[in-house]
Amino acid sequence: MAAPVTPGHLTPNPLAPGDLSWGGLQGPPDTLPEPKQLPELIRLKRDGDRLSEGDIRGFVRAVMDGSAQGVQIGAMLMAIRLRGMDLEETVALTQALAKSGEQLEWPEAWRQQLVDKHSTGGVGDKVSLVLAPALAACGCKVPMISGRGLGHTGGTLDKLESIPGFTVIQSPEQMQSLLEQVGCCIVGQSKKLVPADGILYEARDVTATVDSLPLITGSSGLSFTTSPSACPTASILSKKVVESLSALLVDVKFGAAALLPSQAEARELAGALVGVGAGLGLQVAAALTAMDNPLGRSVGHTLEVEEALLCMDGAGPPDLRDLVTRLGGTLLWLSRQAEDPAEGAARVAATLDDGSARDRFERMLATQGVDPWLARALCSGTPAQRRQLLPRAREQEELLAPADGTVELIRALPLARVLHELGAGRSRAGEPLRPAVGAELLVGVGQKLRRGTPWLRVHLDAPALSGPQRRALQGALVLSDRAPFTAPSPFAELILPPTDTQQ
């Protein structure tokens, strides 16, 4: 396990959880200068200047009141992506986004139980669908505010909305009721909860700023191969600040199909997230996990729901189960509900094996709008029965192995890009998805494969794959001549918050 990291070079005055007063960095609001006009703010950041807290508040206010035009929002996002933000700018942006809507308040008795997890995005990443109900079955309260698909990565909300009737928009009062009845909920941004981030989130998806690193990292001094920027750090943490959590774990993906290609870059981002969280009074840890291969054996909205249910049956792909139990065990430890991560992981694993996580998932579905009969049938049925209950693609096409060999790698990025073309992803904000489009991996990394054996089954609504699509998918399969082997865990490293209590 990695030693705790104390990230960042600036130390903004820490805030108590849920305290979003504006005096944390530069004094009370009435001492701030008059807001600048948006073109001037865009020019300042374009030229590499630092934005004040008042500047950042003015930008977010303009996003919220509609005075910021779409082109101006896009220009500011691009300026941030190219020029970056320092730690104080990112803290200020996170505060402004969080303050754009209502704050969530929970019973005092829940304080130690409130936990959440967030992922920077991957291919086949359905961990949240399993982890939230598993943690609820362990006695946690999980008020998970999630997002939609960005770029080539799938969104948790999109996956859940492939289940007929599931409603992601819940008021704060409804969220509290869900936590009381179920122990978890998975919801989206609304006009009441971090609405400014919801606007920026959609804009990032269609302005080539998904990989903006304060819109993830907030540190213009970091030497990323992609230009640093602060909205995903701010985007991630703004949604979590309003949740008033005891502990947050961020799953920072690295690899060919992740925002960050190398583990070293992921480590720097993780340090920034932990540091900004500390500046906001939020206990944040970060897990670094590999994203070269898809996670699990299924990619695509309904297929990933099916695989999540398989994991909650105590079965399913070992890499998915491993990540769910490790992340859950770490959260139980950080919130002092387990003596160490191993004990926490064992408790999470028990909820998968005894069906209690699946029971919580069923209750969450029924309470968030799914017909109780359908929720019950999905959670009690066989895999074949479940497939009949969810949207199904019109066609299936299998690809065959071109040669003998051992599966060395299944490249996630070309697979995700083809599925995006087929309708599993968005090219513009608000565009409808084809939830049944996806792919099943019929082999795993480390497995011996014979020429002519089916290795991939594509679910599509088009009559057939195009020639370029078929070639791109075949190029995703990497074979070697070495002996079969056990695939390594995607879990690589843990970055802990800067506190002596968890040494």
Side-chain angles (χ1 to χ4, degrees), residues 303-317:
L303 295 178
E304 290 187 47
V305 169
E306 292 175 22
E307 188 164 83
L309 284 163
L310 197 61
C311 185
M312 287 183 274
D313 290 337

Side-chain angles (χ1 to χ4, degrees), residues 20-262:
L20 298 175
S21 62
W22 294 108
L25 294 175
Q26 298 181 18
D30 59 3
T31 66
L32 297 175
E34 286 297 315
K36 300 180 180 71
Q37 295 299 306
L38 272 178
E40 183 179 1
L41 294 180
I42 295 167
R43 178 186 58 77
L44 284 170
K45 183 49 66 179
R46 180 201 68 191
D47 294 344
D49 291 330
R50 185 180 182 281
L51 298 179
S52 71
E53 181 186 355
D55 293 338
I56 291 167
R57 291 174 60 200
F59 169 64
V60 173
R61 187 181 303 114
V63 169
M64 283 299 299
D65 66 21
S67 60
Q69 300 175 32
V71 292
Q72 291 175 314
I73 294 173
M76 179 62 88
L77 293 178
M78 185 59 72
I80 292 171
R81 183 200 181 277
L82 295 175
R83 291 296 190 171
M85 280 183 158
D86 65 22
L87 184 61
E88 285 194 350
E89 285 179 294
T90 306
V91 170
L93 178 60
T94 305
Q95 288 176 318
L97 295 176
K99 197 175 175 68
S100 67
E102 293 185 6
Q103 310 308 306
L104 297 173
E105 297 182 0
W106 313 115
E108 180 63 27
W110 292 3
R111 179 176 293 274
Q112 203 61 38
Q113 300 168 273
L114 288 157
V115 300
D116 197 2
K117 163 262 175 192
H118 183 88
S119 170
T120 58
V123 178
D125 183 3
K126 70 281 292 178
V127 167
S128 292
L129 304 185
V130 183
L131 184 58
L135 287 168
C138 290
C140 296
K141 303 293 185 184
V142 189
M144 189 175 286
I145 301 176
S146 295
R148 300 193 179 277
L150 279 177
H152 67 270
T153 64
T156 297
L157 300 183
D158 298 319
K159 294 166 191 176
L160 285 168
E161 284 186 332
S162 73
I163 303 172
F166 192 89
T167 304
V168 302
I169 300 302
Q170 303 286 331
S171 69
E173 295 77 19
Q174 289 171 317
M175 289 180 68
Q176 179 159 339
S177 177
L178 279 158
L179 295 186
E180 289 170 346
Q181 297 178 56
V182 182
C184 65
C185 60
I186 302 178
V187 304
Q189 287 120 319
S190 67
K191 292 181 180 179
K192 292 187 176 182
L193 295 174
V194 282
D197 179 63
I199 296 170
L200 297 185
Y201 197 93
E202 287 191 347
R204 283 170 50 217
D205 195 21
V206 295
T207 56
T209 54
V210 168
D211 62 349
S212 167
L213 298 176
L215 298 173
I216 298 177
T217 66
S219 183
S220 58
L222 299 181
S223 55
F224 290 99
T225 56
T226 51
S227 299
S229 186
C231 281
T233 289
S235 178
I236 292 168
L237 295 182
S238 65
K239 292 190 283 284
K240 304 310 175 183
V241 166
V242 301
E243 294 176 4
S244 302
L245 301 172
S246 169
L248 168 67
L249 184 61
V250 183
D251 180 1
V252 181
K253 304 290 188 187
F254 66 91
L259 292 177
L260 299 169
S262 75

